[in-house]
Amino acid sequence: MTPHFLPALVNPPFGDPGLYVDFLFARRALLFDLGDLGPLPARKLLRVSDVCISHTHIDHFIGFDLMLRLMLGRDKEVRLYGPPGILRQVENRLGAYSWNLIQSYPTEFVLTVTELHPDGSAQRASFSSRRVFARENQQELILSGGIVLDEENLRIRAAFLEHSIPCLAFAFEEKLHVNFMKNRLAELGLPVGPWLSEVKRAVLRGEPDDTLVYPAAPGEESAGRGWSIAELKEKALQVVPGEKIAYVTDTAFTDENRRRIVELARGADYLFIEAVFLHVDWERARDRAHLTARQAGELAREAGVARVFPFHFSPRHLGAEAELRREVAQAFAAPTAAPLQGEERT
């Protein structure tokens, strides 16, 4: 299966949390958390359409100003999703600057912020450079099943976790993965062109298999016989479950958190999960509402993910990266380990 998305951590494992998901066949990207964004070149940040904030501790939100500075002076809209209080916090950040020159800009940067609440309700408002970033268009929403973004073939889902404050975990899902096999198209004498995008959209809409499409090369009108979607599926089209990427950070190892993480990440192709402490420090991890490396591996295994990528290692363990990764890998590959003596899950 040819991947459509490329996920990568913004910083090394001991650096600020953040995940960049690049769309390989579109000029678009997603960001999960806004820690230190220095490693991302401007061209990559300018591709970002949506930002998902887990919570607003400084190492997860300090990059907001860099993003804002780069977007100013451009016609651009960014959607941001975050936990309770995010509307007020974004408004305060925007209000901390003097904008006496902003209305002379010929461009408009719009930031649309959605604030999530544990009961499924949400508030949404926008902030436009044209109106000096005043809060406007506020509305009340109900988000079913934690879904914060639902497009033709993409979905972002959020789950509330406990980290002494509410903290969001996210799953990015491609609903279906539709691939054309170019060698098969060539064997059938079918051209590559915009008509394939129409076929893809028809499949994603759930059009009946007997729906006919008429191939055409770029610049030509449709000609020749029609092909049913069923024929194309049989001969040149692959339709399989889409890719799934889960992002989990800053959370306590409680039974409820465990249940929500496993449900959110189940079957993911990639799970990016914090592994802050070595398991020998499980008490410190518990007191600070973080995961150990072994706990991260257990959660990945229980969720049945294909690949696990630990990050957000504590500077306390600087130099122990190999050991942290080994603990994750061992728990991911083996049955759930017995608790250390005295360990309790709260």
Side-chain angles (χ1 to χ4, degrees), residues 66 79 100 109 128 140 172 193 255 300 344:
L66 178 58
R79 295 171 294 206
N100 58 300
F109 170 57
S128 168
E140 305 292 325
F172 166 72
D255 288 340
E344 296 177 357

Side-chain angles (χ1 to χ4, degrees), residues 142-208:
I142 297 295
L143 302 179
S144 177
I147 296 172
V148 301
L149 179 67
D150 196 4
E151 298 182 355
E152 181 180 65
N153 196 32
L154 303 175
R155 179 187 298 119
I156 298 178
R157 191 186 304 272
F160 272 91
L161 305 177
E162 188 271 323
H163 173 56
S164 70
I165 60 171
C167 182
L168 291 168
F170 295 96
F172 166 72
E173 303 168 74
E174 180 187 28
K175 295 176 185 177
L176 288 175
H177 191 95
V178 182
N179 250 7
F180 290 94
M181 294 172 280
K182 289 185 179 180
N183 60 324
R184 298 280 184 86
L185 290 171
E187 291 169 6
L188 296 169
L190 296 175
V192 174
W195 74 278
L196 295 177
S197 296
E198 292 301 319
V199 174
K200 181 176 180 178
R201 282 192 284 271
V203 171
L204 296 176
R205 288 194 303 267
E207 297 284 344

